[in-house]
């Protein structure tokens, strides 16, 4: 599962951001643009951002469209559509402009001033979206469709696809609405044709067959189904809820079962129960729920019950920033729960990877009878991204049941070389046993003698060695030898990949190592990586640099190691990574978080 | 098999682990009666799971020869929920103490009852925390001195049967470990009930409540009135919060679709209206298609 | 102060934070009525604490000018317990949603009611999870389609008023955010009650239950029968689990010592029988003394 | 609070162990011996151990008595009283004999063989305890009193004290019982007098005034009361329950409040609520309860509410070994809960220290508005130990309330240099605010912008610096420069101290560093220590070496570093430490736990 990538430079790659108030159709604009591009066979990443309002507040959507595979949301917009300048202000800190970006904006009412933008060479193009909508559809309600007309035309997306997408979307709304939309679209396209001579943003290469477009959360759900998961228990929590929702719709259609429990303690309890009974079972949550699952995580570890826990990270601590991304649940995933409790921690880095990592989570959990935490985050879980058609191939591993010989005198926790003992499940005659969160002997009976405890700890931890050996997955980017090595994890991969590509294109020499299994850690491979680079930069979205501290705890890092870390709240950008490549090694080392 | 020649004797349900319980503990009576109830119903040990939390009483699964899960304090019911929903053909029995079930596990009790989960739940109620050596439970009487209420318990107690009824349990009974005859009948009826059957078993703790608890409970024992009709929730509630009496019997029994019935119905409909054959088919549903045809399934393609 | 010249107007209890709620949300009505109830009772903002969990409804403390604690999902009542027990002179009001209070927070609801904790608890029941965008709550009707039950909700719902009564609440009422007149009366009565007062307020969610919820609820509204006597637990229960009606009013009211009364009694006795003046005195109790005199306190010297 | 000790060699120091069945009075023997010695002004440590039976199973008690201060339970017995050989077998792994130990044993029935003991020079002395008891008291029930007679006489404890202790203990049982006991005691004393010529175990120096004898859990409770704690919420859990029990008895006697909640989530919730309302409040638990408190820990951190959590560690993971000690809740205490959540972690090392550490926990929590986890463990919490009379002096720090000026426009989370903002409490007019587990701005209002999040993370973590500076407590043992340095924490101090003393007495050169604040870590002081020693040995009772991994995460350790770690289940002994001092540095380094 290792992967060594030498990424190519960004080209034929456009990012479009739209901002507006609730009711302006910002989200619909994003959806339609993303779906049309995916339908046209292009690669797409769609992200959204909202204000605090439950519904109807300001919103922004960003669509990145490229003819080559892309792994991250766009971070600098080539086109920004501003439906209202007030709302633009709310997202200002989150929107970056590419040099020379085109700002298609509603002219401010009453000649109010346009806020100064700090990117040079931005080109402001006033377009009276509301007025055009009124003219075309009788109300300003189709202003997003006007904008879609402008943008899709500038990008050179097939007009018939856009039209089909719109008509599909509004098919329930009657023909009058549809005709208004058609006219609004045409009005936008006309504006674009006028701009065409001075704007060159068309995507040159047309795509191929339509591509699936789905969110990271949906990819997790599909991965679980692929891995044979037929039992899911969960409790709603942003930004993971789509997993529960998708599975509650899909699993029954495959004969499976979903239960929405009263809380997260019960959710993981039901999953452990189902797994004890032989089902492949999963739960999904976010930070607060993961914290509530802490005691049960230890039970799964102690009783050696396969358990898959997907944690879609958001801003923490506590209730934190529920709709924003962060990578600060790492420590809890690695170290949470009292006692010495082995578990496996995986991380996915984008939508397609969410599928694969979920299947791996099941494979490891079932083969090694151990809880597996899969870390995703808001920026993966809730973005929509196209994946390759062949994505959904991934081998599925089964749990080892006791043999006839094992059943002659069945011992659930029999000593074995790799620590894995055949696991009986109810229904198997002769395999009856009682399991236990108390320390126990080979048969599962409570045992408090300290030698038993030592022996059983050793048995449970021994399983990590073969896991480390057989699942050494990580990604390595960039040249084989490099001056600078970057190590990061999870969703940071996208921005790091682009930064590495750009740096090497500029003639710098930068490589990156991105583990997909965080615990046990692919240490040997990382050591090899370290031997191939000069300096090291650790990149992560956690105020306390959880990943860096974790790496230190079992590895000696190069003397020239620097950490680029910050709180989450917005996804990592390639720009930040590129800037810190130089600034961090120039600046004196500042004191760390205590 | 004929009634004269049962395949399984009560002793067949005994494991060879010796209980850690104190001599005279009420839980011995519960265990022995459970062995008998299982034999009466000829449960196959390999198709039976006994699930518990943590406490003296929660040690019970270790003393039964079926599959068993001695779980976490307060969490027997979530575990039982997963086991039963994943494998409806298994007989699943949850057991545990009053602290386990009504203090820390109270929320799971409420919601398992509400859902009408298809299991029997036997609460071994000694009105105290036994394993941790004698602190007040939510079932301990107001004013009582315990290790954690040396000046008298300032809290009112709760009646687990009342909670079960109000939460939606469809079978609620009360028994006494010192009256094995009635207890056997109650256990058997609970195990045969379709839906959530809750049986509160008063099971004395000789160590922390003294020998007197046994005598006092026995002195309060009353059967239900002749011809009592257990189908009325309101009538049943008049046998809760008793102080001077201890009415045993089936307080409440009603017939409702169980959780498995209702989940089965959802599954049936989903399989009929939008079966999915493979991951590939699922993946296809994420490819944007702008045809006018409605998509399969309840929520449309991948909820996009 | 005279009734004509109240010091605090409802507007004085408004904070200057604009609610994030959707236009038309039932919670606006609850908030406005709470401002009025506080003014009616002339609560001093600095001696009042509004505590909540997490949810749309749980944002309420931010919109009140008193002290406020917007806590964790499901944990309003433990926080309220600590606040009230540590500072009995404060007015403590807990608020939150049906998911918050009855799903994840169900156990604290049960035990706060059982203890007869001296607070008012206002549940803003919209029969759905609002903040997380429309999943089923334990109050959602069986069969209903929500974001998490696309094939219809397979679970029965529970009536929070029934739970409160069975758990031991001493004041239980039901109101509707669209009927501010009755709601004001109910809130005021709840705030004046001695002990645990539970008020279930049906408060529609226009976004995830649609406009129809409001109309449907209003259509079901019924007052309690003339001359209804709220002192009977059994009578009160006949107004629970309603389907076609929505009876509002004080369903149940009884007078019992509150938790603070009972804890106060414990403290009084302890201070009378074995006051401790200093750490040094406490330390002395650990020095082995073999005199024949009995030691002070309930449990003897340091429980050695 | 730093302490540099140069401990003296063990002398006038005896350890007595007794084993028997339920009903043999083993625990009473231990109690009476310990109390008598404490009454005689000697230093005492009493520990007990039980089989799995709830009540009435086999038991053992170990009493260590010395004329000098001692910090650890005895690990090698000078006298072992065996009331039944069967029961001895159950504890065999836990009992170590000092060279030449005296084994006073009931002769095996029917001439059964005595099990071979693996310590050389053990002296077996058969004493018919049961028969002597029958002769003296009419039943074998006073065999423990016979044993007490033998042992107290051999140790030279004042006979009138022993007699007073017995009579006080059985005062309610009537005079007949007392007379039987008197005769049993005399019978034992007579046996000892016969043995006297060949046994030299008398403690030469008589003690002074009677000393308080209490458990670590009781010392925590007394410390809390001293620190002004008047609100306690908890849920029973072994081995911490005595804190709840003691406070539920004592706090009302001082006008305070105790509530036994429905679970641990509620316990810490009530504590946070009480603290928000201005009370000094605490909860106490053990591993499983700590795991359940995980989400609330994050709330206290985020909302900056002083919170004291005492965690008395037991064997983990999951329900584990409830009655056995271990040091494996360190990781969870340091890293548990999602997000970046600052907290302080303290550790106490013996009974007296439990008092002081509890007061410090309150001081830090209140001064810095932060959750503080105090780690004790079963071997401290449930041992009984004498403390010095002057122990109970410790300054108490108060929370900073807002000034009149602060209240003019009160902002709860106002930026300040050290991160601490004045905290208003209900009742203060003009100080009204709403607190929040959501990320918030200076006024406490929800705020999801990423810059606010970064700023607030920085504010919350900034508090750790002054804590580290002003509470640099640790202990340093041994000579100022040494070949070998040992670092350990918590209850390991006792065994390490004895090992260090013995080694230096033998002419080796060994020092030790024992932090009492684990997070933030007294890094500078430890660096100084490292500079003063050659090799380093880390000692801990955790299978995964949690402490070692933690140290690595922020410090470079000497190249010659070795770890002595094992699962808990029985307390660390000086013997183990001494042995590993040499063996570990001779053996090749083995692979670590994954
Ligand atoms: C999370 C957690 N909290 C506390 C405990 C300690 N504990 C074990 S059993 C028990 C209560 C026992 O009372 P009950 O459930 O009534 O069972 P009984 O022993 O009386 O049969 C407690 C508090 C624990 N094991 N886990
Ligand atoms: C431990 C935890 N689990 C889940 C969530 C996510 N969550 C926030 S509010 C909520 C439910 C909201 O429903 P309700 O309590 O009824 O309040 P409403 O929004 O309807 O007013 C959920 C599940 C959370 N914040 N914390
Ligand atoms: S302590 Fe009580 S409940 Fe526990 S085994 Fe003994 S008698 Fe039974
Ligand atoms: S989602 Fe529903 S409950 Fe939440 S604010 Fe909107 S209308 Fe109110
Ligand atoms: Mg009990
Ligand atoms: Mg709701």
């Amino acid at each position: 599962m290792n992967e060594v990538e030498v990424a190519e430079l960004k080209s034929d790659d456009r990012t479009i951001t739209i901002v507006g108030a609730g009711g302006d159709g910002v989200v619909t604009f994003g959806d339609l643009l993303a779906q049309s591009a995916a339908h046209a066979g292009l690669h797409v990443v769609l992200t959204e951002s909202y204000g605090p309002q439950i519904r109807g507040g300001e919103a922004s959507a960003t669509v990145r469209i490229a003819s080559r595979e892309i792994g991250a949301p766009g971070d600098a917009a080539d086109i920004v559509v501003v439906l209202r300048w007030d709302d633009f202000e709310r997202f200002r800190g989150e929107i970056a402009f590419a040099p020379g970006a085109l700002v298609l904006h509603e002219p401010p009412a009453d000649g109010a001033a346009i806020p100064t933008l700090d990117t040079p060479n931005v080109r402001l193009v006033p377009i009276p979206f509301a007025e055009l909508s009124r003219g075309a559809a009788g109300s300003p309600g189709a202003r997003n469709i006007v904008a879609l007309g402008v943008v899709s035309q500038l990008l050179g997306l097939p007009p018939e696809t856009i039209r089909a997408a719109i008509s599909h979307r509004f098919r329930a709304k009657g023909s009058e609405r549809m005709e208004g939309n058609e006219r609004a679209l045409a009005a936008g396209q006309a504006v674009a044709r006028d701009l065409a001579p001075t704007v060159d943003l068309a995507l040159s290469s047309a795509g191929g067959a339509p591509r699936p477009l789905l969110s990271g959360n949906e990819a997790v759900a599909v991965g679980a189904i692929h891995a044979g998961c037929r039992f899911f228990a969960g409790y709603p929590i942003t930004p993971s809820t789509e997993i529960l929702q998708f599975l509650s719709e899909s699993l029954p259609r495959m004969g499976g079962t979903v239960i929405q429990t009263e809380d997260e303690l019960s959710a993981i309890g039901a999953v452990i129960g189902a797994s004890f009974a032989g089902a492949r079972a999963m739960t999904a949550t976010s930070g607060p729920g993961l914290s509530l699952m802490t005691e049960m995580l230890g039970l799964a570890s102690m009783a050696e019950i396969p358990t898959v826990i997907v944690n879609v990270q958001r801003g923490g601590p506590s209730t934190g920033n529920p709709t924003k991304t962060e990578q600060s649940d790492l420590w809890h995933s690695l170290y949470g729960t009292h006692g010495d409790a082995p578990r496996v921690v995986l991380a996915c880095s984008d939508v397609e990877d969410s599928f694969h990592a979920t299947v791996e989570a099941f494979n490891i959990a079932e083969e090694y009878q151990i809880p597996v935490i899969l870390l995703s985050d808001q920026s993966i879980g809730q973005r929509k991204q196209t994946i390759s058609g062949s994505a959904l191939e991934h081998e599925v591993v089964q749990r080892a049941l006791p043999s006839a010989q094992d059943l002659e005198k069945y011992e659930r926790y029999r000593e074995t070389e790799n620590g894995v003992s055949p696991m009986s499940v109810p229904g198997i005659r002769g395999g009856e046993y009682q399991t236990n969160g108390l320390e126990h002997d080979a048969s599962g009976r409570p045992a408090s003698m300290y030698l038993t405890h030592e022996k059983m700890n050793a048995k449970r931890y021994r399983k990590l060695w073969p896991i480390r050996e057989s699942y050494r997955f990580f990604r390595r980017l960039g040249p084989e030898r490099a001056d600078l090595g970057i190590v990061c994890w999870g969703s940071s991969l996208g921005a790091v990949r682009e930064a590495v590509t750009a740096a090497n294109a500029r003639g710098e020499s930068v490589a990156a190592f991105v583990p997909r299994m965080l615990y046990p850690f692919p240490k040997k491979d990382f050591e090899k990586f370290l031997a191939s680079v000069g300096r090291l930069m650790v990149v992560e979205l956690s105020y306390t640099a959880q990943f860096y501290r974790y790496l230190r705890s079992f590895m000696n890092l190069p003397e020239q190691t620097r950490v680029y870390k910050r709180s989450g709240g917005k996804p990592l950008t390639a720009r930040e990574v590129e800037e810190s490549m130089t600034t961090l090694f120039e600046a004196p080392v500042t004191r760390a978080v205590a | 098999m004929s009634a004269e020649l049962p395949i399984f004797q009560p002793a067949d349900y005994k494991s060879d682990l010796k209980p850690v319980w104190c001599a005279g503990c009420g839980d011995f009576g519960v265990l022995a009666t459970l062995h008998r109830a299982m034999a009466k119903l000829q449960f196959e040990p390999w198709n039976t799971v006994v699930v518990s939390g943590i406490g003296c009483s929660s040690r019970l699964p270790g003393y039964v020869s079926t599959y068993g899960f001695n779980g976490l304090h307060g969490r027997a019911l979530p575990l039982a929920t997963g086991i039963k929903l994943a494998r409806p053909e298994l007989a699943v029995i949850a057991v545990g103490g009053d602290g386990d079930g009504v203090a820390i596990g109270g929320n799971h009790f409420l919601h398992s009852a509400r859902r009408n989960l298809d299991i029997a739940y036997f609460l071994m109620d000694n009105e105290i925390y036994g394993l941790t050596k004698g602190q007040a439970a939510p079932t301990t009487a107001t004013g009582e001195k315990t290790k954690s209420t040396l000046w008298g318990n300032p809290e009112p107690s709760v009646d687990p049967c009342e909670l079960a009824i109000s939460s939606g349990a469809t079978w609620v009974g009360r028994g006494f470990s010192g009256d094995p005859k009635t207890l056997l009948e109650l256990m058997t009826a609970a195990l045969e009930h379709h839906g959530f059957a809750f049986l509160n078993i008063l099971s004395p703790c000789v160590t922390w409540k003294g020998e007197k608890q046994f005598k006092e409970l026995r002195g309060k024992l009353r059967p239900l009135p002749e011809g009592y009709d257990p189908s009325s929730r309101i009538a049943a509630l008049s046998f809760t919060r008793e102080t001077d009496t201890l009415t045993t019997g089936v307080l409440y029994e009603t017939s409702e679709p169980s959780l498995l019935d209702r989940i089965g119905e959802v599954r049936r409909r989903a399989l009929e209206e939008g079966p999915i054959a493979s991951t590939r088919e699922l993946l296809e549903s994420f490819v944007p298609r702008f045809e006018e045809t409605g998509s399969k399934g309840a929520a449309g393609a991948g909820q996009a």
Side-chain angles (χ1 to χ4, degrees), chain A residues 220 224 229 231-237 240 243-244 247 259-261 263-272 280-286 289-290 293 296 306-312 358 361-362 372-374:
Chain A
V220 163
C229 171
F231 183 88
F232 179 89
Y235 188 77
I237 185 165
S240 77
I243 300 174
L244 163 66
L247 288 173
I259 182 165
Q260 180 185 319
T261 50
D263 60 20
E264 288 89 347
L265 293 94
S266 185
I268 184 171
V271 164
I272 292 173
R280 292 170 89 93
M282 178 175 95
T283 187
T285 188
S286 185
L290 188 70
M293 293 180 182
M296 275 281 175
T307 307
V308 175
I309 305 161
V310 177
N311 183 57
V312 186
T358 306
F362 273 96
V372 179
I373 298 174
L374 169 59

Side-chain angles (χ1 to χ4, degrees), chain B residues 20-28 55-57 126 128-131 133 203-209:
Chain B
V20 294
W21 296 322
C22 310
C25 175
D27 296 349
F28 282 107
C56 293
S57 41
N126 53 12
I128 196 85
Y129 286 11
L131 188 64
K133 312 198 169 198
S203 178
C205 170
V206 291
T207 297
W208 307 113
K209 299 279 280 189

Side-chain angles (χ1 to χ4, degrees), chain A residues 144-286:
Chain A
N144 59 335
I145 304 297
V146 176
L148 188 63
V150 185
V151 171
S152 59
Q153 183 76 19
L154 288 175
L155 296 175
L157 295 175
E160 62 288 359
T161 305
I162 305 287
R163 219 170 13 243
I166 295 174
S167 106
H168 184 258
R169 174 71 165 230
F170 295 101
R171 65 182 177 235
K173 305 268 165 141
S175 63
E176 200 182 328
R177 173 77 173 269
M178 190 54 222
E179 282 156 27
N181 281 334
E182 293 266 7
R183 284 190 298 269
L185 183 68
Q189 289 165 334
V191 171
R193 272 189 297 269
D194 290 348
L195 284 169
T198 61
V199 178
D200 178 19
L201 286 170
L203 290 156
S204 61
S205 50
R211 296 180 180 279
L213 176 71
L214 68 168
S215 72
N217 284 338
E218 287 164 335
V220 163
V222 176
I225 287 175
H226 180 78
C229 171
R230 290 298 177 274
F231 183 88
F232 179 89
Y235 188 77
I237 185 165
T238 307
S240 77
T241 311
E242 294 81 11
I243 300 174
L244 163 66
Q245 292 181 173
F246 184 85
L247 288 173
S248 76
E249 198 262 345
S250 303
L251 267 192
R253 296 165 65 190
M254 308 195 80
T257 299
V258 171
I259 182 165
Q260 180 185 319
T261 50
E262 57 276 19
D263 60 20
E264 288 89 347
L265 293 94
S266 185
I268 184 171
V271 164
I272 292 173
S275 181
F276 168 83
R280 292 170 89 93
M282 178 175 95
T283 187
T285 188
S286 185

Side-chain angles (χ1 to χ4, degrees), chain A residues 23 105 141 146 179 190 204 211 272 277 286 345 384 430 457 491 508 539:
Chain A
H105 66 96
V146 176
E179 282 156 27
S204 61
R211 296 180 180 279
I272 292 173
S286 185
V345 182
K384 285 208 168 124
N457 266 336
S491 63
E508 293 172 36
V539 173

Side-chain angles (χ1 to χ4, degrees), chain A residues 265 287-288 291-292 294-295 299 302 316-321 326 328-329 331-332 335-341 437-439 447-448 450 453-454 457-458 461 464-465 519 542-544 546 549 552-556 567-570 591-594:
Chain A
L265 293 94
S291 282
L292 288 176
T294 304
E295 193 196 9
L299 175 64
M302 181 65 131
S318 196
T319 311
N321 273 347
E326 192 160 275
S328 60
D329 296 354
W331 274 350
H332 185 75
Y335 301 118
T337 209
H338 63 284
D340 288 311
L438 286 155
E439 187 56 286
S448 65
Y450 91 102
H453 184 34
E454 177 76 17
N457 266 336
Y461 271 94
L464 295 177
W465 288 102
Y519 186 77
S542 148
Y543 183 78
T544 50
Q546 299 188 356
R549 296 266 164 230
R552 279 197 58 113
S553 76
F554 60 85
M555 300 259 319
N556 294 323
S567 305
K570 61 166 199 176
R591 75 178 182 183
V593 176

Side-chain angles (χ1 to χ4, degrees), chain B residues 80-130:
Chain B
T81 301
I83 296 168
K84 186 67 186 180
L85 293 189
R87 299 282 304 279
E89 74 280 18
L90 301 175
V92 179
I93 305 162
V95 301
D98 46 327
D100 192 76
V102 183
I104 190 167
N107 207 28
H108 311 307
F109 182 27
L110 189 174
H111 291 282
S112 300
R114 171 174 68 81
R115 293 189 185 108
N116 203 18
L117 175 68
D118 310 59
I119 66 163
Y121 180 29
F122 299 152
L123 196 83
M124 293 146 86
D125 180 356
N126 53 12
E127 305 174 318
I128 196 85
Y129 286 11

Side-chain angles (χ1 to χ4, degrees), chain A residues 21-65:
Chain A
D24 282 354
V26 159
V27 172
T28 305
F29 171 99
D31 266 0
L32 290 173
L33 184 60
Q35 285 181 14
S36 303
H39 191 271
L42 292 156
H43 298 267
V44 177
V45 178
L46 164 67
T47 56
E48 292 161 4
S49 184
Y50 301 90
Q53 234 63 22
I54 312 296
R55 187 172 225 190
E58 62 279 7
S60 89
T62 296
V63 188
R64 180 175 176 192
I65 304 174

